[in-house]
Amino acid sequence: MLIESRPAIDPEIAALVTAQQRELREADGGLDGQVFVPHDDVRYLAVVVNGRAVACGGLQSIDAETGEVKRMYVRPAYRGRGIARQLLAALEECAFRQGHAVLCLETGSYLPAAVALYTSCGYDRIPVYGEYVGNPYSVCFAKRLPVAA
């Protein structure tokens, strides 16, 4: 398994995000607001197994102190292997290297596996923020990153 940086326009990243969006629409009953628009300011990491990207996650800066995890997704056939946990740790490392002290994220209340992952990785629930305010299905989390020694 390899975790590598990829641009938002990478075809494998696009395919993973499209699969994620399809799965989210099925899980949330087709709620509006689940459309992905690639942003140049999101740094994506891809998890590659046997030459194929099987998972992705993005990191976007909110401000100098805060980064946000975007579009975490693992293909169903690769779940249960610890890939999401390793990818999240790699995103945290990227955020730390970019100088962020806090990493936050949003997920859906209808995604109990995601909520369990973030909680088990040390993320604390926080009030809904930004574009997620007003969405009754949004659940937000944050984690303070370690201070450089």
Side-chain angles (χ1 to χ4, degrees):
M1 183 180 83
L2 170 70
I3 299 177
E4 61 185 21
S5 182
R6 297 268 184 103
I9 59 170
D10 179 86
E12 287 190 298
I13 293 293
L16 287 165
V17 171
T18 299
Q20 180 215 29
Q21 293 302 294
R22 187 178 318 108
E23 200 171 308
L24 285 175
R25 279 192 302 277
E26 291 169 4
D28 70 14
L31 293 174
D32 291 335
Q34 297 294 340
V35 177
F36 171 70
V37 177
H39 296 280
D40 291 338
D41 60 342
V42 176
R43 177 181 180 187
Y44 279 92
L45 297 181
V47 177
V48 180
V49 175
N50 297 324
R52 178 178 182 226
V54 300
C56 70
L59 176 63
Q60 183 174 32
S61 292
I62 292 178
D63 56 40
E65 180 178 283
T66 310
E68 182 179 15
V69 173
K70 306 291 273 186
R71 304 294 172 204
M72 280 276 298
Y73 181 72
V74 178
R75 289 196 182 276
Y78 292 87
R79 293 180 187 163
R81 302 180 188 188
I83 289 174
R85 189 173 301 279
Q86 291 178 58
L87 177 58
L88 187 57
L91 288 165
E92 290 172 0
E93 179 64 25
C94 287
F96 176 79
R97 288 184 182 180
Q98 289 181 15
H100 296 306
V102 175
L103 195 55
C104 61
L105 58 91
E106 181 270 352
T107 192
S109 58
Y110 51 86
L111 299 171
V115 171
L117 169 70
Y118 299 130
T119 302
S120 72
C121 288
Y123 285 76
D124 296 313
R125 196 158 173 180
I126 60 169
V128 177
Y129 61 90
E131 66 187 278
Y132 312 112
V133 172
N135 182 337
Y137 302 102
S138 285
V139 181
C140 295
F141 292 89
K143 180 178 183 178
R144 182 153 293 280
L145 301 174
V147 179

